[in-house]
């Protein structure tokens, strides 16, 4: 076995891998350039004057077979629009996973609802239905389900719980474009679903987002008004109906989105087949890839694998440094090495001035957002390596990624270290 690159040996990955950060890992063609040129030449950069945003919404709704789609500025805006649509009372509780982007939690807090974290399934790292049920109280309004890493959460169990307790379900599909749960598209189970088109996502508009639903007006307000200043433009006049931000997507984003959407199957298919190939290559190595549930199609936003610290001779942080030195583009834990609830915005209530709202509002449930809250999420964040994934990985890259992982894991498998 060769010396590790971190110790001065040769790198297992010669050169850099395709990256979501630039064209090495993003697929844009003449189509996107022409679409953008058309918008700029038309001088119509806003949805108010140009057709692209509406066209993108219609195409996206058709792809998902739903009645309504509203394009917005980014994925966080999409989720915020969904929570505004639901219109919770201050202090209402919304259950979510701690293994997700902060963009899932920000909209809850911004609407003065309380984020309640359910633990995750140790294998899929998706929200655990049993923990959802254990966290339901009379104040629970909704469950926000992130399909993390692009792998479907257990929607059958989650929808049964939602039905039993009359809860709204918001699906966070920011990482799960065209993921399927038992033959049905993720994003078509809940009341509302949200997508992100940020730079690293399966399709991208730089930043961008979409909210979809089959039942507009279900909670007494129009979905579109929730990202448009509460403004019922279709009725004329300026009668702002309720508090809502301006989250419009621009025509420039929509023009790119329309072209990217046409290639979405190709992007997702490439991510999945490279991931399947890597799983094959890692078969003899002592790591546990995070795989989709049986009967589902996961779409690999990241390729993640779990390490067992009790079998390693160094902390996971050292192993990650060694992997990076070999050329692996990854990091430990999602959203980081601690679950979402332990970041200052939630744990220390860093919200509105010094008020601590909504966490300090009278009569709301007080939660200690500390490391005892979700034990499985705590472990997952410490023991999982997430690798950035793209649709541009080729066989030669996958062989090198596998050999980098094998080299590093073999090196550190020498003696017991411990969970620590
Ligand atoms: C699961 C999840 N939810 C929400 C978001 C927020 O999306 P955006 O970054 O587009 O605001 C992201 C993207 O990072 C995400 O991965």
């Amino acid at each position: 076995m060769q010396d590790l690159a971190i110790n001065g040996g040769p790198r297992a990955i010669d050169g850099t891998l395709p990256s979501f950060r630039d064209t090495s890992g993003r697929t844009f063609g003449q189509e996107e350039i022409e679409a953008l040129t058309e918008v700029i030449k038309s001088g119509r950069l806003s949805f108010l004057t140009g057709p692209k945003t509406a066209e993108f919404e219609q195409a996206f709704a058709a792809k998902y077979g739903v009645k309504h789609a509203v394009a917005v500025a980014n994925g966080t805006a999409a989720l915020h629009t969904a929570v505004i649509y639901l219109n919770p009372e201050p202090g209402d509780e919304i259950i979510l996973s701690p293994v997700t982007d902060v963009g899932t939690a920000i909209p809850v807090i911004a609407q003065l609802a309380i984020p309640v974290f359910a633990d995750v399934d140790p294998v899929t790292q998706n929200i655990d239905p049993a923990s959802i049920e254990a966290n339901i109280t009379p104040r629970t309004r909704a469950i926000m389900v992130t399909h993390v890493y692009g792998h479907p959460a257990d929607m059958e169990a989650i929808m049964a719980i939602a039905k039993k307790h009359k809860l709204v379900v918001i699906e966070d599909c920011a990482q799960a474009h065209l993921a399927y749960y038992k033959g049905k598209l993720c994003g078509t189970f809940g009341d509302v679903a949200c997508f992100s088109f940020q730079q690293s996502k399966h399709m991208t508009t730089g930043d961008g987002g979409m909210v979809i639903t089959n039942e507009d007006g279900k909670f007494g307000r129009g979905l579109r008004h929730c990202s448009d200043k509460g403004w019922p433009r279709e009725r004329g006049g300026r009668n702002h109906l309720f508090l809502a931000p301006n989250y419009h997507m621009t025509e420039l984003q929509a023009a790119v989105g329309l072209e990217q959407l046409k290639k979405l199957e190709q992007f997702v298919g490439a991510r999945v087949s490279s991931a399947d190939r890597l799983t094959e290559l890692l078969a003899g190595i002592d790591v546990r890839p995070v795989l989709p549930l049986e009967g589902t199609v996961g779409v690999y936003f990241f390729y993640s694998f779990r390490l067992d610290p009790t079998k390693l001779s160094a902390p996971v942080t050292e192993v990650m440094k060694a992997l990076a030195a070999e050329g692996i583009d990854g990091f430990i834990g999602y959203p980081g090495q601690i679950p979402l609830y332990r970041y200052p915005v939630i744990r220390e209530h860093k919200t509105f001035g010094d008020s601590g709202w909504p966490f300090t509002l009278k009569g709301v449930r007080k939660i200690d957002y500390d490391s005892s809250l979700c034990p499985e999420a705590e472990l997952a964040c410490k023991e999982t390596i997430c690798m950035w994934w793209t649709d541009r990985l080729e066989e030669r890259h996958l062989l090198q990624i596998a050999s980098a992982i094998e080299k590093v894991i073999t090196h550190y498998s020498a003696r017991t270290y411990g969970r620590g």
Side-chain angles (χ1 to χ4, degrees):
M1 182 59 68
Q2 284 180 319
D3 272 354
L4 294 184
I6 202 170
N7 297 332
R11 279 164 51 114
I13 297 168
D14 62 351
T16 50
L17 297 171
S19 163
F20 74 91
R21 298 172 185 86
D22 54 39
T23 47
S24 65
R26 303 280 28 180
T27 307
F28 299 111
Q30 198 52 34
E31 310 77 40
E32 281 84 354
I33 294 169
E34 278 167 19
L36 273 175
T37 308
E38 183 193 329
V39 172
I40 292 172
K41 280 190 173 161
S42 75
R44 302 189 294 180
L45 273 60
S46 156
F47 85 101
L48 286 169
T49 57
K52 297 285 183 191
T53 306
E55 282 170 31
F56 185 30
E57 290 173 344
Q58 280 154 21
F60 202 88
K63 175 91 55 202
Y64 272 81
V66 295
K67 290 191 195 136
H68 309 281
V70 175
V72 292
N74 55 64
T76 308
L79 288 153
H80 194 189
T81 300
V83 178
I84 295 170
Y85 179 60
L86 159 65
N87 195 18
E89 292 298 327
D92 277 357
E93 295 167 16
I94 297 185
I95 296 176
L96 69 159
S97 166
V99 177
T100 188
D101 182 72
V102 69
T104 322
I106 287 169
V108 175
I109 301 164
Q111 289 311 109
L112 301 179
I114 303 295
V116 174
F117 291 90
D119 208 350
V120 298
D121 177 274
V123 177
T124 65
Q125 300 187 20
N126 265 318
I127 194 165
D128 177 358
S131 183
I132 292 177
E133 194 138 35
N135 276 288
I136 292 172
T137 74
R139 297 279 333 243
T140 308
R141 269 301 303 283
I143 310 167
M144 285 172 105
V145 183
T146 300
H147 301 289
V148 81
Y149 309 142
H151 298 341
D154 189 353
M155 290 315 291
E156 223 162 62
I158 293 169
M159 293 312 293
I161 293 167
K163 194 167 170 204
K164 180 169 149 201
H165 297 275
K166 299 192 171 53
L167 302 176
V168 178
V169 173
I170 298 171
E171 289 183 78
D172 178 353
C173 300
Q175 303 183 358
H177 307 66
L178 298 187
Y180 282 88
Y181 179 93
K182 301 193 178 168
K184 188 169 150 74
L185 276 169
C186 290
T188 60
F189 287 86
D191 297 87
V192 192
C194 301
F195 294 80
S196 165
F197 309 126
Q198 178 262 357
Q199 174 80 27
S200 63
K201 300 303 192 296
H202 296 71
M203 55 174 278
T204 185
T205 59
D207 265 313
M210 192 72 78
V211 195
I212 63 172
T213 185
N214 263 321
E215 291 184 74
D216 199 4
K218 183 168 179 184
F219 306 105
R221 30 177 69 171
L223 182 64
R224 187 171 297 281
H225 305 159
C226 299
S227 59
D228 190 19
K229 311 178 203 171
W231 188 345
R233 290 175 197 267
E234 69 284 1
R235 298 182 212 161
R238 277 185 170 266
N239 187 21
H240 299 284
L241 299 171
F242 53 84
L243 181 66
N246 167 0
Y247 282 149
H248 301 147
M249 176 177 274
T250 70
E251 288 284 285
L252 297 164
Q253 289 166 291
V256 175
L258 267 167
E259 296 309 322
Q260 289 273 292
L261 186 62
K262 291 177 194 161
K263 305 174 199 167
L264 186 56
E265 274 87 359
Q266 171 201 323
F267 296 157
V268 172
R271 278 185 188 247
V272 174
S273 56
S274 330
D276 288 348
R277 174 69 178 133
L278 183 61
T279 302
E280 223 172 82
L281 293 168
L282 294 180
I285 305 168
D286 201 2
V287 296
R288 278 176 293 149
V290 181
L291 302 176
L293 273 176
E294 189 74 22
T296 72
V297 179
V299 292
Y300 294 91
F301 173 59
F302 299 126
Y303 188 102
S304 302
F305 59 88
R306 186 87 174 242
L307 299 176
D308 181 349
T310 64
K311 294 186 182 165
L312 295 171
S313 61
V316 173
T317 45
E318 291 306 308
V319 176
M320 184 62 240
K321 278 186 204 151
L323 287 166
E326 299 295 339
I328 294 280
D329 187 6
F331 56 92
I332 304 169
Y334 189 71
Q337 291 179 40
I338 52 172
L340 190 55
Y341 50 77
R342 286 215 273 144
Y343 291 93
V345 55
I346 295 167
R347 185 170 191 186
E348 297 165 29
H349 307 163
K350 300 288 186 198
T351 53
F352 304 95
D354 290 328
S355 69
W357 293 351
F359 303 100
T360 53
L361 290 171
K362 240 174 119 181
V364 309
R365 177 172 163 201
K366 303 288 181 256
I367 297 170
D368 285 332
Y369 296 102
D370 62 27
S371 57
S372 63
L373 199 60
C374 297
E376 293 298 346
E378 295 281 340
L379 284 177
C381 287
K382 283 196 212 123
E383 299 178 357
T384 304
I385 306 290
C386 299
M387 292 191 293
W388 290 104
W389 213 238
T390 86
D391 50 276
R392 299 288 290 277
L393 290 154
E394 295 170 14
E395 176 71 7
R396 64 193 167 98
H397 302 126
L398 301 168
L399 290 170
Q400 291 188 356
I401 292 170
S403 81
I405 295 171
E406 179 169 24
K407 186 177 164 191
V408 169
I409 297 302
T410 307
H411 180 91
Y412 288 108
S413 291
R415 66 183 165 81
T416 299
Y417 177 72
R419 254 185 169 137

